Amino acid sequence: MIQPKIMPGPWTPSEATDRIRWMAHQNGLTLSYTLHARSRILERGMIISDVLHVLRTGFVHENAVPASRPGYHRYVVQGVAPNGGQRKIGVPVIPDQAGCLLKVVTVMWIDETETRAGTIIGND
């Protein structure tokens, strides 16, 4: 893979797919997980390699959402979890190209419509 030029976001879904995939394939990649993401990975019976596989092979289908830190954006990478019964998962990440860092915000099943606290779709 050819290194994409470092450019500030927000990226289009196609640009985000290419850039996140490139980062996920680098030996110098740093993956950072929020406590929430770690909890959801355990709760859903996934392993870290599921997340990495989706980051390396998945697609970003939606536009970026601004992150809480100015200048950063969140993208949801979707793909199949090899150890998740071939279910599709979504991995919201906040990339930092300068440091080849991907911060994993959470991990969710794409086909899930509800959580214990309520709906994840946004329709009550």
Side-chain angles (χ1 to χ4, degrees):
M1 290 185 144
I2 297 172
Q3 178 179 8
K5 178 183 165 195
I6 294 178
M7 59 189 280
W11 304 323
T12 65
S14 177
E15 289 171 335
T17 295
D18 291 344
R19 292 170 191 288
I20 292 168
R21 281 183 176 185
W22 181 86
M23 291 172 71
H25 278 93
Q26 300 310 300
N27 288 335
L29 171 69
T30 300
L31 277 178
S32 172
Y33 297 86
T34 64
L35 290 175
H36 179 79
R38 289 176 190 265
S39 295
R40 294 303 167 261
I41 290 168
L42 289 172
E43 178 182 292
R44 292 175 170 95
M46 294 180 198
I47 55 177
I48 299 301
S49 65
D50 287 326
V51 174
L52 188 56
H53 178 79
V54 169
L55 294 175
R56 288 179 172 169
T57 63
F59 293 88
V60 175
H61 297 289
E62 299 171 4
N63 290 327
V65 174
S68 57
R69 186 172 173 190
Y72 288 84
H73 297 83
R74 185 180 67 221
Y75 304 88
V76 179
V77 182
Q78 296 182 23
V80 175
N83 298 301
Q86 295 301 304
R87 289 176 72 185
K88 192 179 247 190
I89 64 171
V91 182
V93 295
I94 301 171
D96 182 352
Q97 284 189 109
C100 200
L101 168 78
L102 292 172
K103 181 177 184 177
V104 177
V105 178
T106 191
V107 177
M108 57 196 163
W109 297 116
I110 296 299
D111 59 0
E112 223 173 57
T113 58
E114 296 182 5
T115 65
R116 283 185 224 136
T119 133
I120 60 172
I121 302 286
N123 301 329
D124 290 329

